[in-house]
Amino acid sequence: LKQDSSVFIDQQMLVGTRWAEQIEAEIRQADVLVVLLSAQSVMSEMVLQEIELAHKIAEETGGKPRILPVRLAYREPFQHPLGVYLNPINWALWDSDADTSGLIAELQQAIAGGVLSIDERRKPEVVEVTPKAEMAQPLPVAQPVKTTPTRLEMPEGTMDSTSDFYIERDCDRIALSVIQQQGVTMTIKGPRQMGKSSLLNRVMETAIAAGKQIAFLDFQLFDRAALQDADEFYQQFCFWLTDELDMDDAVEAY
């Protein structure tokens, strides 16, 4: 891509660089942000922060930088909050070295103003949910080996609801019990990295199993103008809620 574009790679900064400031400066002046998404990088807080920053800046500037997600032999569904940013837009897919030349051509045409190839119609063909494996008996050695059926996970980010490494706490059982009741309000509070988002995923799955409809609204995704104007905020809030519940849009009428 350097033949036709000025390319910045966040892993090639010199020692001593104030990396957070440098990355923000690069994203602010970028036309596109190409995000390489592997089973490891989707768990990275740094990757998530860059995507969140690009999304925020694009709202402020009217569309730039455009986010171009590339799945690197990774077909699992994106977990929250990554899916909030990446599910509504097109993706590209790379499975092996044989796909490299095609991926480069696809990125070049997307940088020139086109779109990536995997749209809403093709996404169901790409996404594959891996069945939950039964946990094997521990081996008589400490180091993990390739034959272990349970894959080790990075100790950060939102955990999959089927993860073998999730530790259920007493408050989990309370939350899952309360959400099955009618007419209740529940607040999940805690410091960062304590598992609030992972618990929220389980709460939503339990609510669906109890026959409830789910409307997931992330207030971080409201644009700055809406958060400063009550009329604009309630318009967006009602439109979003209507869309989440698959209701006819009657916001303007009321």
Side-chain angles (χ1 to χ4, degrees):
L1 298 179
K2 288 183 177 179
Q3 295 178 4
D4 303 303
S5 306
S6 174
V7 178
F8 170 78
I9 302 176
D10 60 10
Q11 293 185 339
Q12 295 181 352
M13 288 181 287
L14 299 176
V15 174
T17 302
R18 298 171 68 92
W19 67 269
E21 296 176 7
Q22 178 70 22
I23 287 175
E24 178 170 353
E26 294 289 346
I27 291 178
R28 284 192 177 278
Q29 69 178 2
D31 292 316
V32 298
L33 173 68
V34 179
V35 187
L36 304 180
L37 299 157
S38 64
Q40 291 75 38
S41 70
V42 294
M43 304 300 293
S44 166
E45 285 194 359
M46 184 173 175
V47 169
L48 175 60
Q49 288 173 5
E50 291 183 13
I51 292 172
E52 288 178 337
L53 177 61
H55 179 85
K56 177 183 176 182
I57 293 172
E59 283 192 333
E60 295 172 352
T61 61
K64 289 186 178 181
R66 293 170 56 220
I67 301 175
L68 302 180
V70 180
R71 285 175 170 267
L72 299 182
Y74 179 72
R75 292 173 176 263
E76 292 286 328
F78 293 129
Q79 298 300 309
H80 178 80
L82 204 59
V84 174
Y85 301 105
L86 301 183
N87 286 340
I89 59 181
N90 286 18
W91 313 326
L93 177 65
W94 179 96
D95 275 326
S96 67
D97 289 341
D99 300 327
T100 300
S101 59
L103 173 62
I104 291 173
E106 187 173 350
L107 287 174
Q108 287 173 330
Q109 67 89 21
I111 291 170
V115 294
L116 297 179
S117 59
I118 300 176
D119 54 17
E120 293 302 319
R121 179 179 52 83
R122 290 194 57 202
K123 285 178 182 179
E125 304 170 5
V126 172
V127 176
E128 299 174 354
V129 180
T130 303
K132 182 180 178 182
E134 294 184 4
M135 185 175 289
Q137 292 296 314
L139 299 171
V141 290
Q143 68 270 22
V145 295
K146 292 183 178 179
T147 55
T148 304
T150 300
R151 182 173 59 84
L152 295 179
E153 300 172 10
M154 295 291 288
E156 58 186 4
T158 303
M159 298 182 72
D160 189 272
S161 59
T162 61
S163 172
D164 291 315
F165 297 99
Y166 185 85
I167 299 175
E168 187 177 85
R169 294 162 287 192
D170 291 339
C171 60
D172 290 27
R173 289 187 284 274
I174 295 172
L176 299 182
S177 173
V178 167
I179 200 62
Q180 297 181 66
Q181 302 173 22
Q182 295 297 320
V184 296
T185 299
M186 176 170 56
T187 303
I188 301 174
K189 299 175 67 176
R192 293 193 70 233
Q193 301 300 310
M194 291 300 291
K196 298 186 297 298
S197 297
S198 299
L199 174 57
L200 181 60
N201 282 344
R202 286 169 160 73
V203 167
M204 290 192 294
E205 288 188 359
T206 301
I208 292 172
K212 297 187 177 186
Q213 281 185 283
I214 294 297
F216 183 83
L217 310 182
D218 188 341
F219 277 49
Q220 296 179 89
L221 298 182
F222 280 98
D223 58 51
R224 188 169 298 177
L227 295 176
Q228 295 173 343
D229 183 284
D231 291 335
E232 178 69 19
F233 170 79
Y234 285 118
Q235 286 275 340
Q236 289 193 23
F237 177 85
C238 293
F239 175 78
W240 195 354
L241 190 62
T242 297
D243 183 61
E244 285 282 311
L245 296 177
D246 291 326
M247 300 168 61
D248 292 333
D249 178 13
V251 174
E252 289 294 335
Y254 293 94

